[in-house]
């Protein structure tokens, strides 16, 4: 992955990261691919000396032992995501030096290998380099999380009720615990409560078409 980019990643800072498939190929187009992507995001948010393809073949006891290993280094903390047919959004905090680049490199390379094998395909799957923007403050973080969560709704893939249970975004994690993929505590605290965050998202379902307040944060596609 090329190192040249306009964003310098700082540890403990939050970034909106984004990437699109080569030629806009619809790569997240079925539940199996989407679930694989989410599993990879959850696994590679930590630096591991074991590839995911080997990890999934372990017994549950061996998996638990590996995940508790001192060799596991947290790279990023995930606050929000959306998985669209030909692109993804991730809102993450970098936890260690070069954490975001290592995380996205491992995620994208692993998914590309999986996808290419299944589809008898060769070559790059994602555009290079990925895009990213720094999130400057709490207000921006709150508004950007809503933008990311509403992606499938404003693209007419889902309605708001479907969004509450769909794994295309991290929004269900904000309503009740799902797994350890997403940390929803910070943004819920900024909103005031789970109920208030639900209202914050629900009140402007067409928010993505009214980008004035956070236009400087939106990554041009």
């Amino acid at each position: 992955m090329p190192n040249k980019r306009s964003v310098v990643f700082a540890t403990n800072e939050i970034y909106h990261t984004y990437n699109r498939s080569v030629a806009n190929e619809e790569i997240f187009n079925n539940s199996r691919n989407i679930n694989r992507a989410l599993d990879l995001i959850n696994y590679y948010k930590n630096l591991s000396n074991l590839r995911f393809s080997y990890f999934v073949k372990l017994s549950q006891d061996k998996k638990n032992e590996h995940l508790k290993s001192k060799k596991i280094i947290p790279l990023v903390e995930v606050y929000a995501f959306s998985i669209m047919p030909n692109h993804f959004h991730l809102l993450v905090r970098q936890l260690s030096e070069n954490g975001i680049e290592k995380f996205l490199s491992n995620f994208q390379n692993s998914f590309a290998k999986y996808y290419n094998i299944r589809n008898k395909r060769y070559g790059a799957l994602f555009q290079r380099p990925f895009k990213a923007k720094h999130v400057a403050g709490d207000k921006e973080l709150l508004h950007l999380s809503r933008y990311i969560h509403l992606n499938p709704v404003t693209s007419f893939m889902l309605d708001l009720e479907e969004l509450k249970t769909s794994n295309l975004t991290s929004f269900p994690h904000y309503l009740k615990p799902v797994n350890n993929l997403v940390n929803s505590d910070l943004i819920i605290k900024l909103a005031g409560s789970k109920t208030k965050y639900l209202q914050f998202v629900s009140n402007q379902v067409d928010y993505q078409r009214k980008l004035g307040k956070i236009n400087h944060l939106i990554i041009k596609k």
Side-chain angles (χ1 to χ4, degrees):
M1 184 176 296
N3 292 323
K4 185 177 180 181
R5 65 176 68 256
S6 58
V7 177
V8 177
F9 296 108
T11 300
N12 292 321
E13 292 297 308
I14 299 174
Y15 299 85
H16 171 206
T17 65
Y18 163 93
N19 209 351
R20 181 181 290 277
S21 60
V22 171
N24 290 325
E25 184 172 348
E26 293 196 351
I27 58 176
F28 304 118
N29 57 355
N30 58 59
S31 60
R32 184 166 186 166
N33 288 359
I34 293 165
N35 288 331
R36 182 71 170 202
L38 296 178
D39 286 342
L40 292 173
I41 291 168
N42 198 24
Y43 186 73
Y44 284 117
K45 68 183 183 181
N46 300 307
L47 182 62
S48 170
N49 61 352
L50 186 67
R51 288 190 300 186
F52 182 78
S53 57
Y54 293 127
F55 173 78
V56 293
K57 297 175 183 177
L58 297 176
S59 67
Q60 190 58 52
D61 287 343
K62 289 293 184 180
K63 286 179 181 178
N64 293 338
E65 181 181 333
H66 176 71
L67 293 174
K68 292 177 181 178
S69 169
K70 293 181 180 180
K71 296 180 181 179
I72 302 293
I73 301 172
L75 295 177
V76 299
E77 185 170 44
V78 180
Y79 292 122
F81 68 80
S82 62
I83 305 292
M84 304 294 283
N86 61 5
H87 69 274
F88 65 82
H89 294 268
L90 286 160
L91 186 58
V92 298
R93 183 191 297 274
Q94 178 162 286
L95 298 180
S96 61
E97 187 175 359
N98 298 321
I100 287 177
E101 291 187 282
K102 291 176 183 176
F103 160 64
L104 285 175
S105 176
N106 289 336
F107 161 60
Q108 292 181 163
N109 289 340
S110 184
F111 185 84
K113 184 175 181 179
Y114 159 83
Y115 185 88
N116 284 351
I117 289 173
R118 286 188 56 81
N119 293 278
K120 298 180 180 179
R121 181 188 180 278
Y122 299 91
L125 186 64
F126 293 99
Q127 296 180 6
R128 295 171 182 256
F130 65 85
K131 298 180 181 179
K133 285 196 175 183
H134 179 243
V135 182
D138 292 346
K139 184 177 289 187
E140 291 181 351
L141 178 61
L142 187 60
H143 283 273
L144 189 51
S145 73
R146 177 168 66 180
Y147 165 78
I148 290 173
H149 284 149
L150 284 177
N151 255 245
V153 176
T154 53
S155 297
F156 301 99
M157 293 174 58
L158 302 173
D159 61 31
L160 185 62
E161 285 304 308
E162 291 172 321
L163 187 70
K164 294 177 182 178
T165 57
S166 171
N167 67 348
L168 291 180
T169 81
S170 49
F171 190 57
H173 295 254
Y174 281 71
L175 306 182
K176 62 181 180 179
V178 178
N179 55 34
N180 65 351
L181 170 56
V182 171
N183 181 349
S184 62
D185 294 343
L186 175 60
I187 291 173
I188 286 175
K189 183 178 180 181
L190 293 177
S193 68
K194 289 183 181 181
T195 300
K196 289 182 179 179
Y197 187 72
L198 173 60
Q199 293 173 342
F200 177 73
V201 173
S202 303
N203 287 345
Q204 294 194 45
V205 171
D206 62 345
Y207 180 67
Q208 200 165 327
R209 299 172 190 145
K210 303 175 181 178
L211 298 178
K213 291 184 179 179
I214 60 166
N215 190 56
H216 61 295
L217 283 177
I218 304 307
I219 298 173
K220 302 303 180 183
K221 302 175 183 181

